[in-house]
Amino acid sequence: MGKRFLRSIRMLAECMQLFEQISTAKVRQFGLTHSQFDIIATLGNTQGMTCKELGEKTLITKGTLTGVLDRLEQKKLISRERGNNDRRQFFVKLTPLGEAAFDEVFPHVVAEGEKHFADYSEADYQALEDALGKLRHHFSAEK
Amino acid sequence: MGKRFLRSIRMLAECMQLFEQISTAKVRQFGLTHSQFDIIATLGNTQGMTCKELGEKTLITKGTLTGVLDRLEQKKLISRERGNNDRRQFFVKLTPLGEAAFDEVFPHVVAEGEKHFADYSEADYQALEDALGKLRHHFSAEK
DNA sequence: TATTGTTATACTCTATAACTATA
DNA sequence: TATAGTTATAGAGTATAACAATA
């Protein structure tokens, strides 16, 4: 029977759902959506980046990204500046308020997630990462 | 440093994103959204179930579920019948067309995913499932 | 009173295509 | 011609609260 992999996928999806429940609850306490937090977390501790780069990292398509960035700009959490070299580009970065949000929200989300790993040993981590690394490799390959 | 778990989470998210890219492409070829496919896949090979049950299995909240079911009903893929025992309940099940869709789409999604596990050994599966099982257990526990 | 499911509201995300400005 | 990003469009999912019918 060749459906063995379905069990693994189901487990993968369950883990992801559970983690999203945990993290989304925290994120929403701060008035952010999952996509918005994704942007904030991606921009955190960076000098900023172009929309293109941001889209590639978050897997949000450009039309959608404009809307998400608009809402973050309304909240004064990010700023957009025309590029100097290439004036087609926008350079997106966190405002001081955005950095404050990052500093405030990110540790909470992290702490919330971390609770669930309280008694993970180095071997546990290694086993998980090995398994996921192999899986990622298989999913990435062209088939 | 206690942020070791972030790497695992990132890998988990990447695996999930990759798999969703693979499966969503297939699902959309058949004119279904991810949520809609979720419902179809959940109802497939069952006698049907109540909205409550369906919401619990798919993690879609009841207000949202009504909308998703409406769209599936428009497409003649599911039917809703008042319960006989408890007339507050609706019993949701696949129509013959819905079953046909399940039979048609599900194997395609499965086959698409399966390609990526082509050379997985029993030991590979076991290692992945052990790691994910442990993770799921930790995420499920109240903290 | 509690539960099942719907309705109403308001927002967010989504993909896609056409468009503008720059390269 | 190609690229970066916006705008326009139309749909779909989301949470929430108020509601109807039934238990």
Side-chain angles (χ1 to χ4, degrees), chain A residues 1-6, chain B residues 110 114 125:
Chain A
M1 183 53 166
K3 306 289 177 286
R4 174 68 198 271
F5 84 100
L6 281 177
Chain B
V110 165
E114 198 164 25
Y125 278 120

Side-chain angles (χ1 to χ4, degrees), chain A residues 91-122:
Chain A
F91 202 70
V92 185
K93 59 183 183 183
L94 294 181
T95 61
L97 188 60
E99 282 177 33
F102 175 74
D103 291 341
E104 167 113 8
V105 183
F106 194 70
H108 275 93
V109 173
V110 165
E112 192 63 31
E114 199 163 25
K115 281 189 210 164
H116 293 265
F117 285 91
D119 63 352
Y120 255 57
S121 69
E122 179 54 32

Side-chain angles (χ1 to χ4, degrees), chain B residues 15 26 45 57 65 97 103 112:
Chain B
C15 285
K26 268 293 167 205
N45 291 331
K57 296 209 185 206
L65 187 59
L97 188 60
D103 291 342
E112 193 61 32

Side-chain angles (χ1 to χ4, degrees), chain A residues 2 4 14 114 119 122 136, chain B residues 2 4 14 114 122 136:
Chain A
R4 174 68 198 271
E14 284 168 358
E114 199 163 25
D119 63 352
E122 179 54 32
R136 183 176 55 184
Chain B
R4 174 69 200 270
E14 284 168 357
E114 198 164 25
E122 179 55 30
R136 184 177 56 185

Side-chain angles (χ1 to χ4, degrees), chain B:
Chain B
M1 181 54 166
K3 306 288 175 285
R4 174 69 200 270
F5 84 101
L6 282 177
R7 195 204 298 183
S8 300
I9 290 297
R10 192 171 310 115
M11 291 176 78
L12 181 70
E14 284 168 357
C15 285
M16 200 59 217
Q17 275 181 335
L18 286 166
F19 179 71
E20 278 181 355
Q21 285 182 319
I22 293 165
S23 70
T24 300
K26 268 293 167 205
V27 165
R28 301 192 79 236
Q29 279 179 17
F30 292 88
L32 297 172
T33 65
H34 186 273
S35 295
Q36 289 169 13
F37 178 70
D38 234 26
I39 301 288
I40 302 278
T42 304
L43 290 174
N45 291 331
T46 74
Q47 304 298 307
M49 61 191 75
T50 63
C51 292
K52 182 177 160 63
E53 223 176 324
L54 207 43
E56 283 163 2
K57 296 209 185 206
T58 58
L59 298 182
I60 298 176
T61 54
K62 62 183 183 177
T64 303
L65 187 59
T66 298
V68 178
L69 293 180
D70 285 347
R71 287 180 281 276
L72 285 170
E73 205 173 28
Q74 272 175 19
K75 293 180 187 168
K76 312 285 188 198
L77 296 175
I78 61 148
S79 64
R80 280 187 270 207
E81 274 174 44
R82 279 282 176 203
N84 290 323
N85 307 342
D86 184 338
R87 292 193 45 77
R88 289 173 305 184
Q89 298 185 108
F90 271 111
F91 202 72
V92 185
K93 59 182 182 183
L94 294 181
T95 61
L97 188 60
E99 283 178 31
F102 175 74
D103 291 342
E104 167 112 7
V105 182
F106 194 70
H108 276 91
V109 174
V110 165
E112 193 61 32
E114 198 164 25
K115 282 189 208 166
H116 293 264
F117 285 91
D119 62 353
Y120 254 57
S121 69
E122 179 55 30
D124 292 332
Y125 278 120
Q126 201 57 56
L128 180 60
E129 287 172 11
D130 287 349
L132 289 176
K134 187 183 179 82
L135 187 60
R136 184 177 56 185
H137 176 71
H138 278 72
F139 281 170
S140 299
E142 294 298 323
K143 299 282 166 165

